[in-house]
Amino acid sequence: MGERAAYPSDLTDDQWAVVGPFLQAWKDRHPSVSGHQGRYELREIVNSIFYQNRTGCQWAYLPHDLPPKSATYYYFALWRDDGTDQVIHDLLRCQARERAGRREDPTAVVLDTQSIRAANHVPAATTGKDAAKKVPGRKRGLAVDALGLIIAVVVTAASVTDNAIGVRLLDNVVAHTPTVTKAWVDAGFKDDVQIHGAVNGIDVEQVKRTDTAAGFVPIARRWVVEQTNGTLMLHRRLVREYESRPASAVSRTWWASTANLVRRLTGTTTASWRDPGHQR
């Protein structure tokens, strides 16, 4: 990082030791034809992505002591398109599961969707209105394991049904984590999801909310994915839909979850905007 002052979202030396080897291996597989090593260190590129994810700032508002948009977006888009963002995330997730005494790959997942309002510049062709929640924008669908670690992400127009998103999530789970044989969902996921799961060897079970208990009551199995959604909301770039491409919104989710995994693996935390000690 040179001599600049660190931002709360920056990778510490211990955190870089966790994620850095994967990116260095990626760089070794993609040497420059001219032999140029690049002006910016990959650690600073990740710091820039983490900063924007955490603060929600616009590209033009990235601090001057971080890599500019031209460099940050170049790597962000490259890693989005070649799948490096998910590969790094999944490798770290396996480490986190092993540290928690679990097998590398889960056998069960929980599915959920969340409607996110879109900013004015987001293309209308990729957005819609959630008929139930009356939210204009996009939907983020997640499949998480029993620890709340993300297994699959789908981003669509908010007008797309939970059923359709559930089918896509199951397809992604089967493609990347074929060990899964059980999935829990809420009442929004109908027969199509259960049938699609059965065809792919996954038993899909609805866990319905009860209206008999007063106040907030965590719902068995489903509370895990709700907690994950809440953790993602600490990354302001995910609170509202700013990305022109749904694929970029998916990548933002992988990077936010990667930041959470790095902290989990190193036993560290990142100061929240809710932390009174960091208010000015």
Side-chain angles (χ1 to χ4, degrees):
M1 290 191 304
E3 299 300 322
R4 73 170 178 82
Y7 294 104
S9 57
D10 280 353
L11 290 158
T12 65
D13 289 343
D14 288 343
Q15 291 172 345
W16 178 244
V18 171
V19 70
F22 299 120
L23 286 174
Q24 187 58 52
W26 174 88
K27 189 172 185 178
D28 292 342
R29 294 193 303 271
H30 299 80
S32 170
V33 175
S34 64
H36 183 58
Q37 294 300 309
R39 181 178 177 184
Y40 302 99
E41 296 179 2
L42 292 184
R43 178 173 177 175
E44 283 290 76
I45 297 296
V46 176
N47 283 337
S48 191
I49 293 173
F50 279 9
Y51 180 93
Q52 191 176 38
N53 253 18
R54 193 78 184 193
T55 65
C57 75
Q58 296 163 277
W59 283 107
Y61 284 81
L62 283 171
H64 295 301
D65 52 1
L66 286 174
K69 172 188 176 179
S70 57
T72 302
Y73 183 78
Y74 170 80
Y75 283 101
F76 173 80
L78 191 62
W79 293 336
R80 174 199 66 201
D81 295 342
D82 72 5
T84 296
D85 51 5
Q86 183 177 355
V87 169
I88 292 174
H89 173 274
D90 289 353
L91 290 169
L92 294 178
R93 186 194 68 222
C94 289
Q95 291 184 24
R97 285 183 56 84
E98 285 187 320
R99 184 164 296 187
R102 307 271 182 150
R103 294 180 179 178
E104 280 191 4
D105 293 315
T107 58
V109 294
V110 188
L111 309 187
D112 194 28
T113 64
Q114 183 179 32
S115 294
I116 309 293
R117 289 184 178 273
N120 292 337
H121 70 273
V122 177
T126 64
T127 62
K129 189 170 185 177
D130 185 329
K133 299 177 182 176
K134 311 301 182 186
V135 175
R138 289 184 179 144
K139 270 186 188 176
R140 182 187 303 123
L142 296 181
V144 307
D145 66 9
L147 299 177
L149 307 181
I150 298 178
I151 306 300
V153 184
V154 168
V155 175
T156 70
S159 53
V160 176
T161 65
D162 286 2
N163 243 8
I165 294 175
V167 168
R168 287 181 57 182
L169 281 171
L170 289 179
D171 284 341
N172 288 353
V173 168
V174 170
H176 294 282
T177 318
T179 54
V180 172
T181 58
K182 181 73 176 182
W184 289 283
V185 300
D186 64 24
F189 296 89
K190 307 298 183 182
D191 291 346
D192 287 353
V193 178
Q194 293 177 310
I195 294 171
H196 193 71
V199 170
N200 288 279
I202 300 176
D203 176 31
V204 179
E205 177 183 344
Q206 278 192 355
V207 181
K208 297 182 179 180
R209 184 185 304 274
T210 175
D211 296 326
T212 58
F216 172 75
V217 178
I219 303 173
R221 306 295 184 183
R222 282 171 47 192
W223 69 269
V224 178
V225 69
E226 299 288 353
Q227 184 182 62
T228 301
N229 276 323
T231 303
L232 291 177
M233 289 299 98
L234 293 175
H235 297 80
R236 288 188 171 185
R237 189 79 181 192
L238 274 65
V239 173
R240 196 167 185 185
E241 188 55 75
Y242 295 108
E243 309 304 327
S244 296
R245 297 176 54 183
S248 293
V250 171
S251 186
R252 289 286 180 190
T253 307
W254 288 129
W255 283 116
S257 185
T258 293
N260 292 339
L261 283 169
V262 168
R263 291 194 296 272
R264 182 190 287 254
L265 289 168
T266 56
T268 53
T269 60
T270 296
S272 165
W273 58 271
R274 296 174 179 173
D275 184 353
H278 288 79
Q279 290 180 1
R280 296 291 185 266

